[in-house]
């Protein structure tokens, strides 16, 4: 989902885009989309970037026309972000990410070591790269990275949520890690025993 102003929200799924203007109380069909959507990013109030299987597309919110920004290429573009500077950041499931400083006209690709799990961005533009067994932080919109978490045992890093300077991160299927100082130190939080689940997202009330 992508929000224009907190009340106007666009949501896209398996070939369909929905729209609401009242914060989600009422939804209406907006249009079909040609990509099996994984990520979204709003370009002002003009268009939405949709990332998914093999491609990144741009959908005009006025004409509803679509144009391919990048692709088709192998893999799934699991996320697309627009940083405060205007830089575009796209993550592909085949262990690489791309940066564009000219709205998708050209891209620079950067390969990650195997078993990467995704890239997330917070409001100030900081990026978090999840790799099996470690978490990396970029404070320059993907130009450089610093490792801020290293696991004793290499496990997939899944859902992550950042509230102010506190980071919550799901490690594998049962381990929840918490850092209250933006990744300098970490503590494990007990989760219910007897359950093994893949947590795809975490949200906190009033911090969504």
């Amino acid at each position: 989902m992508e929000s224009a102003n907190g009340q106007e929200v666009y949501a896209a799924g398996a070939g369909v885009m929905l729209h609401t203007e009242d914060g989600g109380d009422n939804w209406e069909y907006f249009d079909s989309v040609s990509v099996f959507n994984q990520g979204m990013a709003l370009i002002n109030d003009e268009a939405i970037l949709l990332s998914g299987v093999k491609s990144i597309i741009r959908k005009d919110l006025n004409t509803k026309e679509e144009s391919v920004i990048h692709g088709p290429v192998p893999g799934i573009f699991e996320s697309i972000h627009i940083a405060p500077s205007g830089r575009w950041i796209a993550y592909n499931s085949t262990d690489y990410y791309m940066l564009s400083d000219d709205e998708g006209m050209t891209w620079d690709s950067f390969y990650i070591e195997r078993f990467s799990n995704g890239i997330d961005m917070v409001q100030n533009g900081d990026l978090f790269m999840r790799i099996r067994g470690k978490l990396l932080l970029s404070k320059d919109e993907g130009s450089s990275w610093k490792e801020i978490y290293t696991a004793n045992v290499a496990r997939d890093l899944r859902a992550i949520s950042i509230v102010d300077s506190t980071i919550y991160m799901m490690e594998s299927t049962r381990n929840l890690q918490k850092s209250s100082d933006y990744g300098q130190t970490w503590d494990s939080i007990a989760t219910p025993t007897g359950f093994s689940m893949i947590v795809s997202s975490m949200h906190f009330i009033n911090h969504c």
Side-chain angles (χ1 to χ4, degrees):
M1 290 189 294
E2 275 293 307
S3 175
N5 53 27
Q7 290 297 305
E8 187 175 13
V9 182
Y10 294 89
V16 175
M17 182 179 290
L18 304 178
H19 177 236
T20 178
E21 294 183 339
D22 55 14
D25 290 336
N26 297 281
W27 291 86
E28 63 180 8
Y29 173 83
F30 182 76
D31 198 20
S32 63
V33 291
S34 61
V35 65
F36 193 93
N37 181 62
Q38 297 287 322
M40 300 175 67
L42 184 66
I43 307 175
N44 300 319
D45 296 327
E46 303 172 2
I48 279 186
L49 296 177
L50 300 167
S51 64
V53 178
K54 296 184 178 181
S55 300
I56 301 170
I57 66 172
R58 179 187 188 275
K59 190 171 189 68
D60 191 289
L61 294 178
N62 296 310
T63 66
K64 299 185 179 179
E65 293 181 354
E66 294 182 2
S67 56
V68 177
I69 297 296
H70 187 77
V73 295
I76 301 171
F77 287 102
E78 295 186 355
S79 64
I80 181 81
H81 305 285
I82 300 178
S85 70
R87 168 176 282 184
W88 294 4
I89 304 104
Y91 166 76
N92 188 286
S93 61
T94 57
D95 297 321
Y96 73 93
Y97 70 98
M98 304 188 309
L99 303 178
S100 176
D101 292 312
D102 53 13
E103 297 190 345
M105 296 291 292
T106 60
W107 295 87
D108 293 318
S109 297
F110 301 87
Y111 286 85
I112 313 165
E113 61 189 271
R114 293 182 61 195
F115 308 119
S116 62
N117 299 139
I119 291 179
D120 307 274
M121 187 178 74
V122 294
Q123 192 171 11
N124 66 2
D126 287 354
L127 296 170
F128 293 85
M129 182 188 297
R130 292 173 285 113
I131 301 174
R132 182 177 292 181
K134 55 189 175 183
L135 181 68
L136 279 61
L137 168 65
S138 174
K139 299 188 73 66
D140 54 13
E141 300 180 349
S143 296
S144 63
W145 299 86
K146 176 184 178 182
E147 190 169 327
I148 61 171
Y149 174 79
T150 306
N152 294 326
V153 178
R155 300 185 177 96
D156 286 332
L157 303 184
R158 301 195 181 276
I160 186 171
S161 184
I162 297 94
V163 181
D164 299 324
S165 61
T166 301
I167 304 171
Y168 297 88
M169 180 177 63
M170 197 70 188
E171 184 180 41
S172 189
T173 57
R174 294 185 180 179
N175 305 303
L176 182 62
Q177 302 292 336
K178 176 184 177 182
S179 173
S180 300
D181 51 18
Y182 218 57
Q184 296 184 53
T185 58
W186 293 85
D187 297 300
S188 294
I189 298 178
T191 56
T193 58
F195 295 94
S196 180
M197 56 186 177
I198 296 177
V199 178
S200 59
S201 63
M202 290 187 292
H203 300 281
F204 294 84
I205 296 174
N206 298 326
H207 289 278
C208 297

